[in-house]
Amino acid sequence: MNENQPAEHASSSNLSQTPVQASEREGLRVYLNPRVIGMLFLGFSAGLPLLLVGGTFSAWLRDLGVELTAIGFLSWVGIAHSIKVLWAPLIDRAPIPLLSRWLGRRRSWMLLAQVVIAIALLGMAFTDPRENLGLVALWAVLAAFGSASQDVAIDAYRVEAEAKHRQGAMAATYVTGYRVAILAAGAGALHLASLENWSTAYAVMAVLMGVGFITTFMIAEPKVQVTQSTALFEERVSQYLAHTSHAGWRRSLTAWFIGAMVCPFAEFFQRYGKAALVILAFIATFRISDIFMGVMANPFYLDLGFSKAQIANIAAAFGLGMTLFGAAMGGVLVARFGIAPILLATAFMAPLTNLAFAWLAYIGPQDYGLIVAIIADNITGGLAISVFIAYLSSLTNTAYTATQYALFSSLMTLPGQFAAGFTGLLAANVGWIGFFMLTALTGLPAIVLAFMLLRMAHPDRLRRPGID
């Protein structure tokens, strides 16, 4: 999968034509690009640990008789994905001894994170939650932090590795790999738990992280260019430090800290001004209703009376197909109509799908009800994935890809992930019908903010500094 052509060359070689023209010329051949193919396997590596510390983890605990309240609070282990912006600057700029010299900036962090995830999953596999729930929680926290770090590195690689006209294909193959991993960690783990036990299921998942190891060694490290405006922005930092009393290692450390921790955020706010606050608020609220649904989905199915096999076949396997269909449809709609109308449509659709699950709770464990709810939820989720990846990528400056993208993706999940810790208490007190009706209301702020974005920072008029 090695690709010798650097990303900035891919961009500069098309100066005489627009990205749309370049994309039309390539057609379906874009999916033969080595970097695009590589994203399929990196997507698998990124998606595998998500359910293993989320929905599948909840199903395991509930299957062993752990209370809903405890399951709700243990969902906080996934908060690592919502606070990854705190250490994303390290991934953006700090080298890993030996590894970075050998593999490069992005691949070295990918490999380290993948090793941490595999070790943590093995630790979960060989620990019984009934005997040591605290230790299982610690292993889950380690897996979540490794998963979040891998996401930061892979997201940065995806944005940097290819020019803008190939980003749609990069996102499509990434989502496909990611959802295949969700199937493996969802339906696959549930089937393994039914046939063998949960320890075997988690041990097999740890072995599957080998897909990430192999891909990381095979892909090429991306090369990016820094725009003149960004270079001048950081030059002002150097000039400021030259007039201070700092010297030697203190000056170097201060320069690194400002460049890594301050410049990415300052550049974003400088670029968008007051609209930056609306953008961040929209990102923070866009997926709240969906996150609430995801945490309690498997406990809901089990409590309603569905078997693990039904959950695996309908919610996981069939749901995967619906998500991929929604993602593919989203890619076509975004290409045809732009980001803004699809972003607005999914803002409306997401909370409405929670009402479909309220209806399912009302009719009981009927296969047709589960199928209808899964179709509504997963097609909407697939649409949201396509449009939101395109939207978040359009907001980044490639000089600070990892940090800025981590800021956006952290905000995307932090409010919902924190509040999700109380979903067990809510469901236990109001019942499943009331739970889904109340959580549908959490989607209203995103709808209001989406309309504000159309006036203040229209998504289809944003330009990304760096590779375009």
Side-chain angles (χ1 to χ4, degrees):
M1 294 181 190
N2 282 297
E3 177 70 65
N4 294 323
Q5 185 183 35
E8 65 266 33
H9 178 70
S11 180
S12 61
S13 65
N14 290 307
L15 291 176
S16 61
Q17 56 188 347
T18 67
V20 173
Q21 289 173 328
S23 180
E24 288 175 347
R25 180 177 56 81
E26 280 190 320
L28 292 176
R29 286 184 298 170
V30 69
Y31 289 102
L32 299 178
N33 183 288
R35 292 188 192 273
V36 175
I37 296 172
M39 286 311 303
L40 179 69
F41 301 101
L42 289 179
F44 181 89
S45 184
L48 192 68
L50 186 67
L51 283 186
L52 299 177
V53 295
T56 300
F57 187 40
S58 298
W60 177 17
L61 297 177
R62 190 58 174 169
D63 194 40
L64 296 181
V66 177
E67 295 295 326
L68 280 176
T69 300
I71 294 173
F73 286 126
L74 282 171
S75 72
W76 277 340
V77 302
I79 210 167
H81 289 271
S82 302
I83 61 173
K84 59 190 176 185
V85 67
L86 298 179
W87 64 92
L90 292 175
I91 298 175
D92 236 347
R93 299 207 173 191
I96 300 174
L98 300 179
L99 272 183
S100 292
R101 183 178 300 178
W102 178 31
L103 297 174
R105 179 176 57 159
R106 299 306 182 203
R107 294 193 299 154
S108 60
W109 278 101
M110 284 185 207
L111 183 63
L112 177 62
Q114 289 157 358
V115 170
V116 169
I117 294 166
I119 291 172
L121 292 179
L122 286 174
M124 294 175 73
F126 295 109
T127 307
D128 190 337
R130 292 168 295 191
E131 298 178 0
N132 201 333
L133 184 60
L135 183 57
V136 170
L138 287 176
W139 283 121
V141 168
L142 184 61
F145 272 91
S147 176
S149 300
Q150 181 186 218
D151 283 356
V152 172
I154 291 178
D155 286 338
Y157 172 87
R158 186 185 66 248
V159 176
E160 295 173 354
E162 281 297 345
K164 187 175 182 178
H165 70 274
R166 292 193 182 117
Q167 285 298 315
M170 295 283 278
T173 52
Y174 174 82
V175 169
T176 300
Y178 198 95
R179 288 295 163 172
V180 170
I182 293 293
L183 176 62
L190 286 167
H191 277 304
L192 284 171
S194 296
L195 296 173
E196 296 290 334
N197 52 58
W198 285 105
S199 293
T200 300
Y202 270 75
V204 170
M205 297 301 112
V207 172
L208 287 178
M209 282 304 300
V211 171
F213 298 169
I214 296 170
T215 306
T216 299
F217 283 119
M218 294 183 69
I219 60 176
E221 183 74 5
K223 297 179 182 179
V224 298
Q225 59 186 351
V226 177
T227 62
Q228 184 178 7
S229 61
T230 303
L232 291 173
F233 185 76
E234 294 210 358
E235 178 63 25
R236 291 198 293 270
V237 174
S238 299
Q239 292 174 357
Y240 162 76
L241 291 172
H243 292 87
T244 67
S245 59
H246 298 311
W249 67 268
R250 290 181 62 195
R251 176 179 292 181
S252 299
L253 182 61
T254 304
W256 184 92
F257 178 83
I258 294 176
M261 303 291 291
V262 177
C263 285
F265 307 106
E267 188 276 338
F268 173 74
F269 279 95
Q270 181 187 62
R271 193 160 21 115
Y272 293 112
K274 294 180 180 179
L277 295 176
V278 178
I279 292 171
L280 295 178
F282 174 72
I283 292 171
T285 57
F286 183 72
R287 291 195 62 228
I288 286 182
S289 61
D290 185 49
I291 292 172
F292 279 6
M293 168 59 212
V295 170
M296 283 293 145
N298 280 329
F300 166 63
Y301 300 144
L302 291 169
D303 280 5
L304 206 61
F306 290 107
S307 68
K308 290 193 288 291
Q310 286 175 302
I311 298 170
N313 293 330
I314 300 176
F318 177 70
L320 170 66
M322 292 299 98
T323 299
L324 294 180
F325 173 74
M329 185 167 61
V332 173
L333 292 175
V334 168
R336 176 65 180 83
F337 300 105
I339 292 174
I342 313 307
L343 201 62
L344 184 61
T346 52
F348 273 99
M349 293 165 66
L352 291 177
T353 60
N354 284 32
L355 298 180
F357 285 95
W359 169 72
L360 177 60
Y362 175 75
I363 67 172
Q366 303 291 331
D367 281 355
Y368 75 89
L370 181 58
I371 291 172
V372 169
I374 291 299
I375 288 174
D377 185 56
N378 288 52
I379 289 181
T380 298
L383 283 167
I385 287 169
S386 292
V387 68
F388 220 55
I389 286 179
Y391 178 58
L392 297 184
S393 296
S394 73
L395 297 173
T396 63
N397 180 334
T398 53
Y400 312 112
T401 312
T403 303
Q404 289 184 343
Y405 199 97
L407 168 66
F408 306 143
S409 56
S410 293
L411 279 174
M412 179 177 66
T413 58
L414 181 57
Q417 190 71 52
F418 175 77
F422 301 99
T423 53
L425 284 172
L426 181 62
N429 282 280
V430 303
W432 289 116
I433 295 177
F435 172 79
F436 289 116
M437 294 182 70
L438 288 174
T439 56
L441 297 177
T442 62
L444 295 179
I447 296 173
V448 174
L449 290 165
F451 280 109
M452 293 178 66
L453 280 180
L454 297 183
R455 297 183 59 186
M456 300 179 65
H458 198 289
D460 293 318
R461 296 171 192 152
L462 302 177
R463 291 192 61 82
R464 181 182 61 166
I467 308 170
D468 271 338

